[in-house]
Structures are given as C-alpha cells and as structure tokens.
Amino acid sequence: MDKSLQKKYASELGLNVAKGCIIKPCNGSYDIPKDLTFPCFPKPLISFKGNKQCMKKCNNEKELREAMDKVLMFQKDCPFEIEEFISIEKEYATLGFSDGKSIVLPAMIQLLRDGSGS
C-alpha cells in the first residue's frame, strides 16, 4: 500500500505519524528538499516498487543519496518517502485481510527484530 495513504488514514484516526516528504525521481534524477532535517529514514513509497536496501537511518545528505541511489539503479522512477528518524522502542504489526465487505484482523504481533531480506 502507498505509505502516504497509510499515514493519511492513521492521522485521520488520531494516531501520531512521523513527519516526512515525498520524493519522486524521474529517470533516476531527484532533488532533496533544502529544509529536510537529519537524521532521516528513507523508504520506498510503495514497498513492492523498491526494496529494503534504502531503509536505514541517514545522518546526512551523502548517506541519504547513497541509500536512494541503490534502489534507483534497478528502479529509476521509484518514489520515496523520507521521514524524520524516530527511535522505536517497540514495533507491532497487524495481520489481516478484507473481502471487500468485511475486514478481519485476527492478530497483532510484537516484532522482536527488524525485517531482513526480500
């Protein structure tokens, strides 16, 4: 799912969301906003269009460009969301599905370690 939609819905429900901006490269070229603060955390706007190689804490523009360029070598127009970096104490995930009429969320799990691999 598009992370900008996830954040929109979460915000509308009163949940706190990290501040961020969206960068949409064109043919591998992009501009980083001058007012971007560091550290930051880049991620593909739509997960399956990118990969996890760029998802890491970036302390400066050089690190951010290196992270984004790894993804853009394979997917030249992959849009990114660049969020403020927030240290996370606990992370949870919900698993579920929708049949178009109902939504079923049978479980919530605490993630004990970060995801890795594809």
Side-chain angles (χ1 to χ4, degrees):
M1 182 175 182
D2 183 320
K3 288 177 180 48
S4 63
L5 283 177
Q6 288 177 338
K7 287 176 79 168
K8 175 183 179 284
Y9 296 146
S11 182
E12 288 174 358
L13 291 170
L15 298 173
N16 293 328
V17 296
K19 295 175 186 161
C21 66
I22 295 172
I23 295 177
K24 294 183 179 179
C26 182
N27 294 320
S29 179
Y30 57 90
D31 293 316
I32 293 177
K34 300 288 184 210
D35 61 349
L36 186 67
T37 58
F38 292 93
C40 66
F41 193 87
K43 54 182 137 180
L45 189 60
I46 300 172
S47 298
F48 77 87
K49 289 190 175 184
N51 59 44
K52 292 186 177 195
Q53 289 182 2
C54 73
M55 294 175 63
K56 66 178 200 164
K57 179 182 179 182
C58 296
N59 293 303
N60 54 51
E61 185 174 329
K62 180 180 182 281
E63 290 179 5
L64 176 59
R65 287 187 183 279
E66 288 172 355
M68 291 174 59
D69 289 345
K70 283 183 182 178
V71 173
L72 295 174
M73 285 190 319
F74 304 102
Q75 177 60 277
K76 294 206 178 293
D77 295 329
C78 179
F80 290 89
E81 178 164 30
I82 313 298
E83 292 183 332
E84 64 181 325
F85 179 80
I86 298 173
S87 186
I88 299 172
E89 292 179 27
K90 291 183 181 179
E91 185 173 359
Y92 296 92
T94 56
L95 307 174
F97 68 91
S98 172
D99 64 5
K101 297 177 187 168
S102 303
I103 298 171
V104 178
L105 298 170
M108 182 172 82
I109 57 173
Q110 180 181 353
L111 302 174
L112 299 178
R113 59 177 235 214
D114 292 339
S116 60
S118 54

